[in-house]
Amino acid sequence: MTRFVVGLTGGIGSGKTAVSNRFLAKNITVADADIAARSVVAKGTETLEIIRNRLGDDIIDSTGELDRPKMRTLVFGKPDIRQWLESITHGPIMNLLRQTLADASSPYALLVLSAGTGRTPLINRMLVVDAPLELQKQRVAARDHSAPETIDAIIAAQPTRAARLALADDIIDNSGLPTALDKQVETLHQQYLRFADYD
Ligand code: ADP
């Protein structure tokens, strides 16, 4: 069981996945809040059944999975439904993340939080991946082929770069080449191994 947990956050396209993959390659357990959020409403889950009961059969697609585009349309402009969804998924998401961290055998573990999430009691130290806004937008555009307005809207809904950096104990600068991440991750890895030992 790992007791030392590093929270990893950053805006969309800042490089959270690029960074977490490098920790994974060092055999560090990675718990990802976005992946957990998807898996608690996967086909056949109790939570998906609760959603279907309230929102109707239409919310399930032909393969039995949650129809996400339909869900987004339905939730848009309806804060009460959004709040209800958050209230029923929060517990299962946290349980799953806690379980993943409890099962981790690595000396410390990484908890990847989507940009909107602040510090949780599970976290001992906060790591923020940082890139200039323009670079962040360019990388998201290249990755997702999204329209600039869509990317702007997502970024506008996330905490600002300054707000994220204010929460950081450690910062990874991802304004350079991907290879520049290797060295920074290695330095932090050594530091976290020491912290995990002393915690
Ligand atoms: P996030 O998980 O924070 O949304 P990603 O790690 O997916 O961000 O990075 C966004 C995109 O930018 C991906 O396509 C990734 O391969 C690319 N990318 C990440 N870091 C760099 C970099 N230093 N140079 C060039 N491309 C990068």
Side-chain angles (χ1 to χ4, degrees):
M1 153 126 188
T2 299
R3 283 175 304 129
F4 194 81
V5 177
V6 177
L8 172 65
T9 191
I12 182 172
S14 60
K16 293 181 295 298
T17 309
V19 167
S20 64
N21 282 342
R22 282 165 169 80
F23 281 101
L24 262 182
K26 296 181 186 296
N27 291 320
I28 296 303
T29 297
V30 174
D32 187 313
D34 280 345
I35 294 174
R38 277 195 291 274
S39 82
V40 300
V41 293
K43 181 177 174 174
T45 57
E46 199 184 324
T47 309
L48 185 58
E49 195 52 26
I50 296 170
I51 294 173
R52 191 182 67 80
N53 283 338
R54 164 124 187 218
L55 303 180
D57 291 344
D58 276 3
I59 208 70
I60 311 288
D61 71 15
S62 58
T63 68
E65 300 282 355
L66 180 64
D67 189 329
R68 290 177 179 280
K70 215 171 257 171
M71 183 77 163
R72 271 194 290 276
T73 311
L74 206 89
V75 166
F76 186 77
K78 297 206 182 90
D80 52 331
I81 295 187
R82 182 184 292 274
Q83 227 165 38
W84 174 76
L85 278 170
E86 279 169 11
S87 73
I88 60 160
T89 53
H90 182 76
I93 293 170
M94 291 309 287
N95 286 342
L96 184 56
L97 292 173
R98 257 188 226 109
Q99 193 59 51
T100 307
L101 295 171
D103 290 345
S105 54
S106 52
Y108 67 92
L110 217 61
L111 174 55
V112 185
L113 300 166
S114 52
T117 326
R119 205 178 256 277
T120 82
L122 294 173
I123 290 171
N124 301 103
R125 197 157 175 98
M126 190 63 118
L127 169 60
V128 173
V129 193
D130 182 56
L133 198 57
E134 275 315 308
L135 210 48
Q136 200 187 335
K137 290 183 189 178
Q138 278 170 27
R139 287 175 182 163
V140 176
R143 183 190 64 188
D144 301 342
H145 310 290
S146 317
E149 311 81 65
T150 309
I151 300 171
D152 285 344
I154 295 171
I155 289 176
Q158 295 188 335
T160 62
R161 190 178 174 195
R164 266 195 305 274
L165 289 174
L167 288 178
D169 297 303
D170 304 304
I171 296 168
I172 288 185
D173 171 11
N174 192 20
S175 60
L177 294 172
T179 48
L181 293 176
D182 298 337
K183 196 162 171 265
Q184 297 181 76
V185 168
E186 175 57 22
T187 303
L188 288 166
H189 176 59
Q190 294 304 331
Q191 184 185 318
Y192 297 151
L193 287 176
R194 286 195 300 275
F195 288 160
D197 219 23
Y198 293 134
D199 191 47

